[in-house]
Amino acid sequence: LNVRAAWPFSQGTGVTIAIADMGVQISHPEFLEPSANQPHYNFDNGNTNGAQLASTENHGTAVAGYAVARGNNGLGISGVAPAASLASWKMLGATEEAIGTMFQFMSNTVGVQNHSWLNSGSGLIGNTALEEAGLSNALTFGRSGRGVLMTRAAGNDDR
């Protein structure tokens, strides 16, 4: 991506990006500021702690870095939207009902959702009816009718 060409127009100021994954290490120095007072949530157990719970659950943290790392701060990379805010949504063990809720969760606050996960070990499979309803609501009614922007991985196998 040539994001530097877009930065004169926008670096994500005023946008909240939700990383739906294993959780994000929101205590990491790159994420302290962008994650402050944001709608974190654990859809696996229904609490407001979206942080990664185990050191092996680091995928969401890496993805968050690509999205919102501040850059030019001596800590590492710059994300695609270094001025955006960050919400961590832990959801890899969630029920289909919780995933349906997740898609539309805080859809007037969260403008972008990143889904860098698969719901099958062998590739993408279709959404259930509950998941599809939540997704449709977010895309239709989110951001006051402008729709939430969704990104979805096609896989993590470099293929």
Side-chain angles (χ1 to χ4, degrees):
L1 297 175
N2 184 10
V3 297
R4 283 186 232 158
W7 285 345
F9 304 100
S10 177
Q11 293 189 15
T13 302
V15 176
T16 299
I17 300 173
I19 305 298
D21 207 293
M22 299 176 161
V24 174
Q25 181 191 348
I26 54 179
S27 63
H28 187 286
E30 283 283 13
F31 307 135
L32 290 174
E33 180 186 341
S35 70
N37 301 311
Q38 295 304 314
H40 307 296
Y41 202 80
N42 184 326
F43 292 92
D44 294 349
N45 63 21
N47 71 40
T48 58
N49 180 4
Q52 73 184 51
L53 302 178
S55 62
T56 57
E57 297 178 334
N58 55 13
H59 185 260
T61 299
V63 171
Y66 290 126
V68 304
R70 292 304 194 229
N72 298 318
N73 59 6
L75 295 175
I77 67 170
S78 179
V80 170
S85 296
L86 169 67
S88 175
W89 292 354
K90 186 169 175 44
M91 50 65 64
L92 288 184
T95 65
E96 80 178 59
E97 181 179 9
I99 291 174
T101 298
M102 174 203 59
F103 281 127
Q104 57 193 329
F105 184 71
M106 300 297 290
S107 65
N108 283 324
T109 301
V110 174
V112 178
Q113 293 181 24
N114 183 85
H115 299 277
S116 183
W117 50 272
L118 297 173
N119 50 4
S120 163
S122 61
L124 294 175
I125 60 174
N127 294 319
T128 67
L130 288 172
E131 294 167 350
E132 194 61 37
L135 184 59
S136 178
N137 284 338
L139 295 173
T140 304
F141 304 113
R143 294 189 318 137
S144 301
R146 294 176 292 157
V148 174
L149 302 173
M150 302 274 183
T151 62
R152 182 82 186 255
N156 291 324
D157 296 330
D158 295 330
R159 293 185 252 182

